[in-house]
């Protein structure tokens, strides 16, 4: 190969390299700087591995991008956040529903298949079912929550001349108790039905994997000494009982 040919060959390779870099840079701008996998993902540096984990854990108090709304409005979210906190309040020993992100869990669930009753039979005819049969009706859970939140606000204004989030804790408890005991006459949904649904999904948010928005920092599990999502117990199964730190699905990354 002549020097001229070799130089031309190098120039061609350099031009191709620069062209690829320009494409990657421009593509990054086109998608807002977000790595979307493939060629783009390969040029984004990953955080340095620590031990057996591929992604370093964020420190407590760091911004949590999972805590964003997908279903509720800001006003609706505040009502649910306040209501779940009264169902599972904070004390001097443990965090409450608000600190554990339960309202975000509910918001995210209602934005998905759970909120649309995707796995439920929703065709007529509709009959009043037995208690053991659960919900029997045409309304989706996300719709029930919209109505329930509005009625909580209406009843709060009717009884105390204030919105639910403006009430004292004992007043909020009184409102929720009236809903739980069907002391509130609603035309579209059952007051106790809404309360029971809210209470049930609150408990789910407390103890589900943090992946789903609640149980922040696995503190819900820690309160119960629950080990979370352990891959195996083979190292301790033959030993005396011992407490172990909980593990989330993210910890297996």
């Amino acid at each position: 190969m002549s020097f001229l040919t070799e130089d031309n060959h190098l120039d061609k390779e350099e031009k191709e390299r620069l062209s690829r870099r320009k494409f990657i840079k421009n593509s990054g701008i086109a998608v807002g700087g977000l790595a979307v996998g493939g060629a783009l993902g390969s040029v984004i540096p990953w955080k340095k591995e620590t031990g057996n984990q591929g992604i370093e854990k964020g420190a407590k108090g760091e911004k949590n991008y999972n805590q964003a709304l997908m279903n509720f409005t800001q006003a609706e979210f505040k009502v649910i956040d306040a209501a779940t906190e009264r169902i599972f309040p904070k004390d001097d020993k443990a965090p409450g529903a608000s600190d554990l992100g339960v309202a975000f869990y509910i918001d995210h669930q209602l934005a998905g298949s759970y909120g649309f009753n995707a796995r439920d039979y929703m065709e007529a005819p509709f009959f009043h079912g037995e208690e053991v049969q659960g919900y029997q009706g045409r309304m989706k859970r996300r719709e029930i929550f919209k109505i329930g939140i509005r009625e909580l606000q209406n009843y709060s204004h009717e009884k105390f001349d204030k919105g639910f989030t403006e009430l004292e804790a004992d007043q909020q408890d009184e409102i929720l108790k009236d809903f739980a005991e069907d002391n509130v006459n609603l035309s579209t949904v059952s007051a106790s039905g809404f309360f029971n649904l809210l209470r049930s999904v609150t408990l789910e948010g407390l103890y589900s994997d943090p992946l789903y928005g609640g149980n922040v920092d696995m503190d819900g599990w820690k309160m119960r000494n629950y080990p979370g999502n352990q891959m195996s117990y083979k190292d301790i199964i033959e030993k005396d009982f011992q407490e172990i730190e909980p593990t989330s699905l993210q910890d297996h990354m």
Side-chain angles (χ1 to χ4, degrees), residues 25-26 34 51 61 88 101 104 112 133 147 150 155 165 175 184 208:
K25 179 180 179 181
N26 290 341
L34 177 67
F88 195 90
F104 286 107
Q133 292 180 301
I147 294 171
R150 185 176 67 242
Y155 188 62
T165 57
I175 295 292
V184 187
S208 64

Side-chain angles (χ1 to χ4, degrees), residues 37-123:
L40 294 182
S42 67
V43 301
I44 305 299
W46 290 87
K47 290 185 177 180
K48 184 178 179 181
E49 292 189 2
T50 305
N52 293 327
Q53 292 180 263
I55 304 175
E56 292 180 339
K57 284 186 178 181
K60 192 169 184 178
E62 188 177 277
K63 183 182 290 186
N64 184 349
Y65 293 99
N66 193 38
Q67 292 192 337
L69 300 181
M70 296 189 288
N71 174 70
F72 293 137
T73 64
Q74 294 282 351
E76 291 170 339
F77 174 82
K78 289 178 180 178
V79 173
I80 290 298
D81 192 42
T84 56
E85 179 65 17
R86 296 316 305 153
I87 292 174
F88 195 90
K90 178 180 180 178
D91 59 25
D92 57 350
K93 295 183 179 179
S98 184
D99 287 338
L100 290 172
V102 169
F104 286 107
Y105 168 84
I106 296 174
D107 173 80
H108 295 180
Q109 290 299 304
L110 293 177
S113 59
Y114 174 83
F116 287 94
N117 294 60
R119 298 185 180 183
D120 299 337
Y121 183 78
M122 300 292 289
E123 300 295 331

